[in-house]
């Protein structure tokens, strides 16, 4: 239909609807004689809440009309995201009203478990569900095996310490397992062992002159997307951008430099950039220091005397050079990474000339591989060399948000609970092969994906009861087949979830929970952004659509009451005795009161004007809920300079005495040497090389002859952490991700590789790895380097809903889940799963 016919049809339709007696112009807005006869009055109101579609946790507002959520926008009171939101927040509207949601508690009646088994769920009451769960916990206590209870946590709010933290300890188990290790722990490793920051960094985009992005795609993922998209035009105007990524991402498509690195070989490029910065005298001397006589002795291939250099804010730059960098030329890196030496040198020089306003932006893509901890140290070490650490236009730690801790629970831990809490953890974190060195502590990270192996092997024991919320571990962990088998083996599994999911299929009790953005009251501390820290409120904006409860508080309260009826009052007594309204002193009498009191207690320093704090002044609890966000003061640059980095030396450590102490403690714990720890964790370093960022060759699962292609995955800008696939908007706009197709799931393959394999665009292909296979559509695309196939994560659900699946009833997925073919390997030093860096090889065959 052409434009003229369309306008004709529109006019006819308008007349037909209006009736033949219509005398006013049909297109009233275009009439010169048109006059407004009614005022434009608001139909509803904007109410504050929080989007948890990624780890940014942006403050947003929801427009409520007649009790229904109708649209979303950023909260104009928020400084971290400029009052904007990204597409993920809008998808939540389709989630909350999804007809496929779990609507009431359900009980499994088929004792057999497996993907091919029908659970035969039947409805039960909340009281029946709580009694069944309480019975199982009381049985564990009678047998003094409370450690065989495990609580699993996915995404969470500030109140997670109730269900995930304190409840397990009061009952008596060390096995509270978080999703964190499958998310991003490896990227935190480098900043922690350089400057003791284990968390997500803020980047001073608006003041920088160079962005060096290691697998990061700031306008699509990697947190603070609303902030990044809002300022990226300014960044492009004033700064150069270089993307190191095997895929042509949305950001790479508009960058000055795209370096399509061989996955897992980022460390070679980082080492070479450091080499150029030092040999060409481009390091930032006010931060790093200089040779005492002013003569640059960093010469290719030559060692340097440590006594010749005087450092300022850093420690060990000469040791780092001697151990790791002196031979790392761009020509050497070209052989490892597949990136021309000339381009590496050019990027290094431009990056150095921008110092100190130059950002080396870490991401999971560059660090979450088997040897990625040292890549994390290398890439963050570049920030140290150019002096951008804690500096204008650089990488920032961020201000803090003053909140209260949850009340102490130790008085409610009895002898049985103490015994259970003392048992070894199910996840093996802290074992020789899994140092998991968060905060310099052996076993500081829970090895989420390894829980499946431990359950199957009953090592160190079996699990009998699992309480799990906001999780889908047999979809979101690598080598999913193991998880299906492990879930089938667990005798009693409770899944608290918004939507049915793959994990729900193996549950014994299914509990429907509130949607975080619309149906619950809580608070979250979001990722830092735009030089501000913030806390954002979630408000109960609408009456719950179905018979749902709040997982972290309301369900915990109901379980406490059920346990009390069966002779164990400790949990509910903790809730009743230790929680009270900060304003009235009233103790909670039910789950909803408990939830509100817990949020008020946690946030009191922010809404109580008598508490001094560096940030917004908010006058009372009601005002905090109405405004919806508390903002810190703007970040105070360089507050870590002057010996305040928190490391063992107090300085930014290139040679990490902090890591050395942690590794030596872990080795001593197991009566081995640090070299033995390196071998156990599949790292190649020996001696002091283990204490500096250095190049480690990529570790891959699969023989190159049998599996000739490297598999690489990425995240969608529409992906609410794999929870978006059952929304039509996600499917309809999937081509917003470069190379992807709407309502489909494609494997992006370079035309050079496709020609060799006889694959045409649109062919169905089988993708096989050493651990599994999926069938998807081939997309010939030059945006992935030859030898590497690339696929977005998020599709492949078989139990999430009628949109996510091709056929929900028959469990036919739409596309394939990447985790079916990804091998279950780990970046063991940080405790992270190793899902990136091309850790798994595949073969691709036309179906």
């Amino acid at each position: 239909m052409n434009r003229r016919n369309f306008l004709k049809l529109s006019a006819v339709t308008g007349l037909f609807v209006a009736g033949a007696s219509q005398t006013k112009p049909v297109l009233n807005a275009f009439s010169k004689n048109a006059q407004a006869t009614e005022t434009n009055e608001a139909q509803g109101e904007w109410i504050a809440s929080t989007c948890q579609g990624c780890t940014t946790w942006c403050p947003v507002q929801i427009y409520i009309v007649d009790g229904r959520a109708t649209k979303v926008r950023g909260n104009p009171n928020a400084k971290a995201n400029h009052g904007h939101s990204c597409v993920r927040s809008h998808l939540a509207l389709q989630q909350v009203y999804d007809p496929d949601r779990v609507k009431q508690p359900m009980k499994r009646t088929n004792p057999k478990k497996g993907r091919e088994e029908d659970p035969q769920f039947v409805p039960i009451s909340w009281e029946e569900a709580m009694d069944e769960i309480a019975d199982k916990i009381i049985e564990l206590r009678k047998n003094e095996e409370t450690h065989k209870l495990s609580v699993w946590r996915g995404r969470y709010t500030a109140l997670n310490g109730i269900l995930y933290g304190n409840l397990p300890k009061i009952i008596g188990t060390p096995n509270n397992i978080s999703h964190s290790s499958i998310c991003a722990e490896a990227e935190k490793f480098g900043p922690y062992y350089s400057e003791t920051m284990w968390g997500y960094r803020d980047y001073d985009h608006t003041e920088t002159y160079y962005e060096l992005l290691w697998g990061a795609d700031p306008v699509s993922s990697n947190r603070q997307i609303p902030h990044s998209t809002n300022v990226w035009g300014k960044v492009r105007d004033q700064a150069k951008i270089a993307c190191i990524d095997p895929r042509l991402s949305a950001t790479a498509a508009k960058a000055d430099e795209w370096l399509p690195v061989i996955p897992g070989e980022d460390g070679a490029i980082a080492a070479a950039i450091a080499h150029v910065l030092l040999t060409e005298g481009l390091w930032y001397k006010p931060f790093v220091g200089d040779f005492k006589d002013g003569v640059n002795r960093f010469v290719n291939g030559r060692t340097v005397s440590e006594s010749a250099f005087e450092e300022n804010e850093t420690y060990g730059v000469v040791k780092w050079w001697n151990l790791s960098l002196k031979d790392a030329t761009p020509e050497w890196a070209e052989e490892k990474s597949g990136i021309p030496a000339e381009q590496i040198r050019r990027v290094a020089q431009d990056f150095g000339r921008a110092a100190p306003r130059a950002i080396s932006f870490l991401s999971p893509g560059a660090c979450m591989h088997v040897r990625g901890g040292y890549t994390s140290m290398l890439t963050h070490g570049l920030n140290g060399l150019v002096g951008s650490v804690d500096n204008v236009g650089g990488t920032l730690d961020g201000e803090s948000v003053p909140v209260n801790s949850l009340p102490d629970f130790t008085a409610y831990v009895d002898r049985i609970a103490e015994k259970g809490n003392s048992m070894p953890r199910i996840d093996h974190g802290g074992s020789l092969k899994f140092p998991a060195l968060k905060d310099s502590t052996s076993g500081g990270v829970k090895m989420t994906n390894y829980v499946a192996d431990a359950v199957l092997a009953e090592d160190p024991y079996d699990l009998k009861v699992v309480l799990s919320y906001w999780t889908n571990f047999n979809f979101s962990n690598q080598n999913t087949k193991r998880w299906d088998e492990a879930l089938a083996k667990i005798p009693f599994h409770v899944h608290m979830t918004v939507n049915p999911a793959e994990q729900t299929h193996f549950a014994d009790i299914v509990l429907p929970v509130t949607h975080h953005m619309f149906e619950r009251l809580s608070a979250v501390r979001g990722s830092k952004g735009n030089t501000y820290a913030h806390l954002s409120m979630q408000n109960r904006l609408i009456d719950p659509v179905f018979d749902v409860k709040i997982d972290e508080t309301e369900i915990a309260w109901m379980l406490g009451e059920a346990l009390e009826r069966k002779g164990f009052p400790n949990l509910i007594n903790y809730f009743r005795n230790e929680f009270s309204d900060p304003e009235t002193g009233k103790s909670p009498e039910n789950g909803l009161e408990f939830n509100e009191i817990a949020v008020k207690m946690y946030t009191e320093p922010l809404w109580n004007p008598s508490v001094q704090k560096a940030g917004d002044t908010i006058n009372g609890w009601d005002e905090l809920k109405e405004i919806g966000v508390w903002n810190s003061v703007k970040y105070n640059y360089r507050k870590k300079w002057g010996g305040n980095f928190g490391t063992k030396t107090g300085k930014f450590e290139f040679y990490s005495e902090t890591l050395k102490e942690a590794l030596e403690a872990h080795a001593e714990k197991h009566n081995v040497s640090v070299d033995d720890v390196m071998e156990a964790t599949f790292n190649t370093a020996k001696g002091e090389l283990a204490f500096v960022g250095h190049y480690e060759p990529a570790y891959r699962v699969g023989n190159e002859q049998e599996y000739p292609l490297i598999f690489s995955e990425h995240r969608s800008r529409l992906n609410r952490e794999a929870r978006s696939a059952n929304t039509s908007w996600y499917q309809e706009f999937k081509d917003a991700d470069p190379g992807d197709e709407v309502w489909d799931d494609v494997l992006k393959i370079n035309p050079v590789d496709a020609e060799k394999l006889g694959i045409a665009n649109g062919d169905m292909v089988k993708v096989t790895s050493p651990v599994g296979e999926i069938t998807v559509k081939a997309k010939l695309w030059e945006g992935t380097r030859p030898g590497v196939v690339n696929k977005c994560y998020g599709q492949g659900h078989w139990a999430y809903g009628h949109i996510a699946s091709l056929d929900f009833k028959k469990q036919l997925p739409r596309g394939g889940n990447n985790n079916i073919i990804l091998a279950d390997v780990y970046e063991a030093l940080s405790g992270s799963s190793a899902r990136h860096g091309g850790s798994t090889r595949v073969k691709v065959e036309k179906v």
Side-chain angles (χ1 to χ4, degrees):
M1 181 183 294
N2 60 32
R3 180 176 181 272
R4 177 175 293 180
N5 289 339
F6 172 77
L7 291 175
K8 286 181 179 179
L9 181 61
S10 299
V12 170
T13 303
L15 283 169
F16 184 80
V17 172
S21 62
Q22 177 74 31
T23 57
K24 293 183 179 180
V26 174
L27 297 178
N28 210 33
F30 300 124
S31 170
K32 293 182 179 179
N33 299 322
Q35 294 182 356
T37 57
E38 296 182 8
T39 58
N40 185 15
E41 296 180 355
Q43 295 178 302
E45 62 177 330
W46 290 101
I47 304 178
S49 193
T50 305
C51 174
Q52 288 188 272
C54 72
T55 53
T56 300
W57 298 348
C58 279
V60 295
Q61 290 181 335
I62 319 296
Y63 199 60
I64 306 298
V65 179
D66 295 330
R68 186 177 179 89
T70 63
K71 54 186 174 181
V72 181
R73 71 182 183 187
N75 188 329
N77 300 304
K79 296 179 180 178
N81 65 350
H82 307 268
H84 295 288
S85 64
C86 78
V87 64
R88 289 181 175 93
S89 63
H90 301 278
L91 294 176
L93 289 167
Q94 290 195 329
Q95 288 181 319
V96 71
Y97 295 115
D98 187 348
D100 291 331
R101 282 183 64 175
V102 181
K103 301 172 178 63
Q104 63 190 101
M106 306 289 285
K107 177 182 178 179
R108 184 187 202 93
T109 59
N110 181 4
K112 295 181 180 180
K113 295 182 179 181
R115 179 166 174 175
E116 305 305 321
E117 295 289 339
D118 182 353
Q120 297 177 19
F121 288 123
V122 297
I124 59 173
S125 69
W126 279 98
E127 291 72 19
E128 289 175 290
M130 292 300 109
D131 279 340
E132 284 220 27
I133 299 168
D135 283 339
K136 298 297 182 182
I137 293 174
I138 292 298
E139 184 179 349
L140 293 180
R141 286 187 55 81
K142 285 180 178 177
N143 296 328
E144 296 199 8
E145 50 182 16
T146 55
H147 57 285
K148 295 185 178 182
L149 164 71
S150 188
V151 178
W152 298 349
R153 178 191 77 176
R155 187 54 62 222
Y156 53 88
T157 78
L159 301 185
N160 77 93
I162 294 171
L163 178 59
Y164 172 76
N166 297 351
L167 180 148
K169 297 298 183 290
I170 291 172
I171 293 173
T173 179
N175 293 314
N176 51 344
I177 305 297
S178 174
H179 81 291
S180 298
S181 68
I182 66 175
C183 185
E185 300 307 86
E187 72 166 282
K188 302 172 186 175
F189 186 83
Y192 182 82
Y193 287 105
S194 303
E195 55 167 319
T196 63
M197 182 192 177
W198 191 282
Y200 298 131
R201 296 153 305 287
D202 187 10
Y203 295 101
D204 199 9
H205 294 306
T206 59
E207 298 295 335
T208 197
Y209 298 147
Y210 205 102
E211 297 255 7
L212 188 59
L213 307 174
W214 299 93
D217 187 8
V219 300
S220 299
S221 60
N222 299 105
R223 294 171 292 280
Q224 282 301 344
I225 301 158
H227 168 50
S228 297
T229 53
N230 188 67
V231 303
W232 211 248
K234 183 178 189 300
V235 174
R236 290 192 65 216
D237 288 342
Q238 73 185 27
K240 286 189 175 181
I241 303 168
C243 291
I244 302 94
D245 196 324
R247 173 183 71 104
L248 186 67
S249 66
T251 306
K254 296 185 179 296
D256 298 279
E257 303 268 5
W258 177 40
L259 293 76
V261 62
I262 297 172
E265 298 291 348
D266 307 71
I269 299 175
I273 290 175
H275 179 97
V276 172
L277 293 175
L278 292 173
T279 56
E280 298 192 14
L282 295 172
W283 73 89
Y284 188 63
K285 295 175 178 60
F287 185 73
V288 180
D290 199 2
F291 288 98
K292 294 177 180 176
D293 60 4
V295 178
N296 186 3
R297 288 176 172 77
F298 292 126
V299 178
N300 180 32
R302 296 184 187 177
T303 58
V304 173
S305 171
E306 293 179 38
S307 62
F309 198 97
E310 185 173 353
E311 293 186 73
N312 292 337
E313 303 292 340
T314 67
Y315 174 84
V317 67
V318 174
K319 284 186 178 181
W320 188 27
W321 166 265
N322 290 337
L323 289 167
S324 174
L325 303 177
K326 64 182 178 64
D327 300 313
T329 64
E331 289 72 22
W332 164 86
E334 178 177 354
E335 295 180 6
K336 308 292 184 183
S337 67
I339 301 302
E342 177 184 347
Q343 187 178 24
I344 296 173
R345 182 172 285 106
R346 181 175 64 246
V347 168
Q349 291 168 340
D350 289 346
F351 183 69
R353 293 184 187 114
R357 298 190 180 210
I359 292 171
S360 177
F361 191 135
L362 287 72
S363 82
C367 306
M368 284 183 71
H369 53 91
V370 174
R371 295 162 178 162
Y374 288 113
T375 305
S376 181
M377 292 182 72
L378 271 171
T379 51
H380 192 57
L382 297 178
N383 288 311
L385 284 181
V386 297
S388 64
V389 176
D390 206 41
N391 205 355
V392 178
T395 173
L396 311 176
D397 190 335
E399 295 293 332
S400 60
V401 177
V403 292
N404 287 327
S405 300
L406 292 176
D408 182 66
F409 63 88
T410 53
Y412 302 88
V413 177
D414 62 12
R415 180 193 62 81
I416 294 174
E418 284 183 353
K419 178 183 176 182
N421 289 330
S422 68
M423 296 294 287
R425 293 195 333 235
I426 191 73
D427 67 287
H428 288 234
S431 63
L432 174 60
K433 65 180 180 180
F434 294 138
L437 296 172
K438 179 181 179 181
D439 297 336
S440 297
T441 302
S442 175
V445 170
K446 307 292 177 69
M447 304 293 301
T448 312
N449 197 18
Y450 195 75
V451 170
D453 298 276
V455 168
L456 292 171
E458 298 186 10
D459 178 18
Y461 42 75
D462 59 324
L463 287 183
K464 292 188 175 181
V465 179
V466 169
L467 310 180
S468 187
Y469 77 102
W470 217 337
T471 58
N472 195 16
F473 282 167
N474 59 328
F475 184 89
S476 58
N477 280 289
Q478 301 144 253
N479 193 355
T480 57
K481 181 181 178 181
R482 301 155 37 256
W483 275 95
D484 286 349
E485 294 171 355
L487 290 170
K489 186 175 180 177
I490 294 170
F492 189 75
H493 167 210
V494 179
H495 196 209
M496 296 167 260
T497 184
V498 175
N499 270 67
E502 285 71 24
Q503 188 177 327
T504 314
H505 191 76
F506 294 85
D508 296 275
I509 299 289
V510 183
L511 300 179
V513 300
T514 54
H515 191 287
H516 70 274
M517 197 163 152
F518 306 94
E519 300 174 319
R520 70 183 295 173
L521 172 69
S522 193
V524 294
R525 284 187 290 176
S527 296
K528 305 172 183 74
N530 191 30
T531 71
Y532 293 94
H534 69 276
L535 177 137
S536 185
M537 293 296 295
Q538 293 171 329
N539 280 305
R540 191 164 184 155
L541 312 172
I542 61 174
D543 290 333
V545 180
F546 304 112
D547 185 15
V548 297
K549 307 290 183 185
I550 304 170
D551 42 29
E552 292 171 333
T553 51
E554 198 174 4
I555 291 176
W557 177 277
M558 295 172 68
L559 180 56
E561 289 181 322
L563 287 169
E564 181 185 39
R565 291 193 296 269
K566 298 175 187 300
F568 181 67
N570 297 38
L571 182 63
I572 195 66
N573 284 344
Y574 168 62
F575 296 157
R576 289 171 179 155
N577 298 339
E578 304 301 329
F579 288 80
S580 60
D581 191 305
E583 293 180 300
T584 68
K586 183 180 183 298
S587 297
E589 296 181 1
N590 57 57
L592 285 177
E593 287 186 3
F594 174 53
N595 180 79
E596 180 168 11
I597 287 171
V599 181
K600 289 182 73 172
M601 291 174 65
Y602 178 80
T603 59
E604 184 185 7
L606 305 180
W607 56 261
N608 186 340
S610 67
V611 177
Q612 289 189 343
K613 48 197 168 283
D616 293 348
T617 298
I618 293 177
N619 296 304
W621 166 243
D622 290 335
E623 185 169 296
L624 176 62
K625 289 194 296 180
E626 180 182 356
I627 294 173
V629 61
W630 179 88
N631 303 287
S632 73
V633 295
K634 188 176 176 65
Y635 186 70
N636 182 23
Y637 300 109
R638 299 191 181 191
K639 65 180 181 180
K640 290 178 129 182
W641 292 33
N644 299 313
F645 280 99
T647 57
K648 190 171 176 60
T649 62
K651 297 189 174 186
F652 184 92
E653 294 184 344
F654 295 120
Y655 179 97
S656 182
E657 295 286 357
T658 307
L659 177 58
K660 181 178 181 179
E661 184 177 62
L663 282 172
E664 288 178 343
H666 181 74
E668 183 179 353
K669 172 182 173 181
H670 295 285
N671 298 312
V672 298
S673 68
V674 172
D675 284 355
D676 293 328
V677 174
M678 292 294 103
E679 184 176 353
T681 57
F682 298 99
N683 285 286
T684 65
K686 299 291 183 183
E688 289 190 301
L689 190 60
F691 312 135
V692 298
H694 65 272
Y695 168 75
E696 288 271 349
Y699 179 98
R700 308 200 196 280
V701 176
N703 181 278
E704 185 174 359
Q705 283 66 45
E706 184 177 0
Y707 302 100
L709 297 169
I710 298 171
F711 183 81
S712 179
E713 69 163 16
H714 66 94
R715 296 295 181 266
S716 170
R717 65 180 5 173
L718 306 173
N719 203 356
R720 291 178 60 85
E721 298 182 319
R723 297 189 296 274
S724 308
N726 207 49
T727 67
S728 60
W729 291 341
Y730 174 87
Q731 303 292 349
E732 184 65 29
F733 297 103
K734 192 66 184 65
D735 58 355
D737 300 310
D740 278 5
E741 301 286 345
V742 300
W743 291 94
D744 213 337
D745 191 25
V746 298
L747 180 79
K748 296 179 279 288
I749 182 170
N750 191 282
V752 172
D753 295 319
E755 184 177 4
K756 293 177 183 177
L757 297 171
I759 294 172
N761 195 55
D763 284 346
M764 297 303 294
V765 294
K766 181 171 68 173
V767 187
T768 307
S769 79
V771 301
E773 64 181 49
I774 58 175
T775 298
V776 293
K777 186 180 290 185
K779 171 70 176 289
L780 273 60
W781 191 55
E782 293 180 343
T784 184
R785 65 168 295 132
V788 178
V789 290
N790 203 285
K791 183 175 171 299
C792 189
Y793 171 72
Q795 299 276 44
H797 283 287
W798 52 268
Y800 206 68
H802 72 284
I803 293 176
S805 304
L806 279 178
D807 191 318
F808 190 28
K809 291 183 178 180
K810 295 181 180 180
Q811 298 183 1
L812 296 178
R814 186 182 300 279
N817 178 10
N818 295 357
N819 283 315
I820 292 174
I821 60 175
L822 285 172
D824 46 313
V825 288
Y826 306 87
E827 199 297 300
L829 296 180
S830 67
S832 173
S833 291
R835 62 182 308 112
H836 294 298
S839 297
T840 304
R841 286 188 167 276
V842 297
K843 60 181 176 182
V844 179
E845 303 165 289
K846 183 177 178 180
V847 176

